[in-house]
Amino acid sequence: MRGDGKHEIAVPFGCSQFPHDTHESSRRCVEERYPMLAYHDELPRGGHHPAGERSSTFVDDVRASFRSVR
């Protein structure tokens, strides 16, 4: 996910990291790719399919992400 300056995505962006996801990136790497990072959270539980595994946690995080860009 490292940004090289050529492939930055310049829109407000929210990122939730789940500990058992198949791809994990540090906040620094996410910020390199998404310079307008508006929300970042590292959750204590969940994995590759958080909407099915931890639906209430997932929904709360999506709502928090959208609140941050209002």
Side-chain angles (χ1 to χ4, degrees):
M1 180 166 293
R2 291 189 184 265
D4 58 8
K6 297 177 186 174
H7 297 98
E8 288 181 352
I9 300 171
V11 296
F13 182 76
C15 178
S16 300
Q17 295 282 316
F18 292 85
H20 301 292
D21 201 348
T22 57
H23 179 77
E24 291 185 44
S25 295
S26 69
R27 182 181 180 122
R28 181 185 55 82
C29 289
V30 174
E31 286 174 333
E32 286 177 5
R33 184 66 178 248
Y34 301 93
M36 294 180 66
L37 182 65
Y39 180 83
H40 186 272
D41 193 14
E42 294 182 17
L43 294 135
R45 285 176 274 186
H48 186 64
H49 300 287
E53 296 169 9
R54 302 278 177 200
S55 57
S56 63
T57 302
F58 178 76
V59 168
D60 291 345
D61 226 43
V62 169
R63 288 178 175 158
S65 178
F66 278 98
R67 270 194 300 274
S68 71
V69 294
R70 278 192 196 178

